[in-house]
Amino acid sequence: EPEVTQTPSHQVTQMGQEVILRCVPISNHLYFYWYRQILGQKVEFLVSFYNNEISEKSEIFDDQFSVERPDGSNFTLKIRSTKLEDSAMYFCASSGGEVKETQYFGPGTRLLVL
Amino acid sequence: GNSVTQMEGPVTLSEEAFLTINCTYTATGYPSLFWYVQYPGEGLQLLLKATKADDKGSNKGFEATYRKETTSFHLEKGSVQVSDSAVYFCALISGGYNKLIFGAGTRLAVHP
């Protein structure tokens, strides 16, 4: 069964450093998303992406964040200058194909900013 | 705006007990409703969904019915197992490719 994959599974970084989180969505999906979950809290929407552009973003997704689909398979989230409060689990999701509304999630990247 | 409210946890049950996790929503239009499950140390897995009023989603013994009149989508299982211990998230989408809006999650612990 096709699945969304994410790398790395864990990342530790120093405050102020740039990080890039990588995702490979399900191959025939056209809609891509990033969510985050701060430890013990609810899952929050960050951004959605379609046709090589952002279709919606939340207030969390400020100028420090960017997304890119650099090739036909990868979808990345970049945080330019990490803050302590960026520490969270970041989930990638994709949707499309026959069942358009259902978003399938990757296993997540746990980011720790020190 | 759109929102999802779930019963607070944790919910602690003995094996083979009946489970209900309440979920209500506020949304414009006719949202699709979902339950996702997060097992310890893992990501989010789709458990079940319903896309219109009176639809019943079901999977792995879990069920939930889309009740428009009460704006609810309560999750039920007749007999829980230890392996059902996880965090359960109710969520909605209002519009086909829009963002998922999640409830706060309900932690379920099942003891032998």
Side-chain angles (χ1 to χ4, degrees):
Chain A
E1 183 176 325
E3 58 183 18
V4 178
T5 60
Q6 290 184 242
T7 54
S9 57
H10 294 79
Q11 180 146 5
V12 181
T13 190
Q14 296 292 321
M15 190 170 56
Q17 295 296 304
E18 174 183 287
V19 295
I20 297 176
L21 310 183
R22 292 181 168 79
C23 169
V24 179
I26 293 172
S27 62
N28 66 338
H29 286 182
L30 300 176
Y31 296 81
F32 315 115
Y33 313 83
W34 284 101
Y35 294 82
R36 78 171 186 190
Q37 183 184 31
I38 295 172
L39 188 63
Q41 298 186 23
K42 70 164 62 177
V43 179
E44 302 172 291
F45 169 78
L46 292 178
V47 66
S48 57
F49 191 86
Y50 169 72
N51 199 25
N52 282 320
E53 61 183 27
I54 290 173
S55 46
E56 186 178 358
K57 60 183 180 180
S58 72
E59 61 273 12
I60 302 168
F61 195 88
D62 61 22
D63 292 344
Q64 293 299 313
F65 291 88
S66 62
V67 288
E68 192 179 29
R69 187 149 163 85
D71 53 41
S73 59
N74 289 285
F75 179 52
T76 62
L77 174 69
K78 181 191 291 186
I79 310 175
R80 289 192 184 84
S81 178
T82 50
K83 306 181 186 69
L84 296 177
E85 55 265 35
D86 293 327
S87 296
M89 180 75 93
Y90 288 81
F91 291 108
C92 174
S94 69
S95 69
E98 293 184 6
V99 185
K100 65 177 185 179
E101 289 183 318
T102 300
Q103 294 181 23
Y104 294 90
F105 283 75
T109 294
R110 185 170 296 284
L111 175 66
L112 179 60
V113 182
L114 301 177
Chain B
N2 298 335
S3 66
V4 176
T5 302
Q6 283 181 242
M7 65 185 288
E8 290 190 20
V11 174
T12 303
L13 295 172
S14 298
E15 207 165 22
E16 299 183 3
F18 184 86
L19 168 70
T20 300
I21 300 178
N22 289 338
C23 171
T24 57
Y25 66 90
T26 302
T28 54
Y30 302 95
S32 293
L33 303 173
F34 303 82
W35 278 99
Y36 282 83
V37 58
Q38 185 178 33
Y39 297 103
E42 298 186 14
L44 295 165
Q45 298 178 26
L46 177 67
L47 181 60
L48 54 84
K49 69 174 187 179
T51 57
K52 61 182 188 296
D54 300 325
D55 268 2
K56 178 186 284 188
S58 61
N59 186 24
K60 300 181 181 179
F62 290 90
E63 294 183 337
T65 301
Y66 189 142
R67 302 281 188 204
K68 190 171 185 297
E69 64 276 13
T70 55
T71 61
S72 65
F73 193 55
H74 304 322
L75 182 68
E76 296 182 337
K77 186 174 185 182
S79 176
V80 293
Q81 305 300 311
V82 173
S83 56
D84 293 327
S85 298
V87 180
Y88 292 82
F89 291 93
C90 186
L92 69 81
I93 281 182
S94 184
Y97 296 105
N98 292 343
K99 62 190 177 192
L100 273 166
I101 295 171
F102 286 88
T106 302
R107 183 176 299 279
L108 170 66
V110 181
H111 298 289

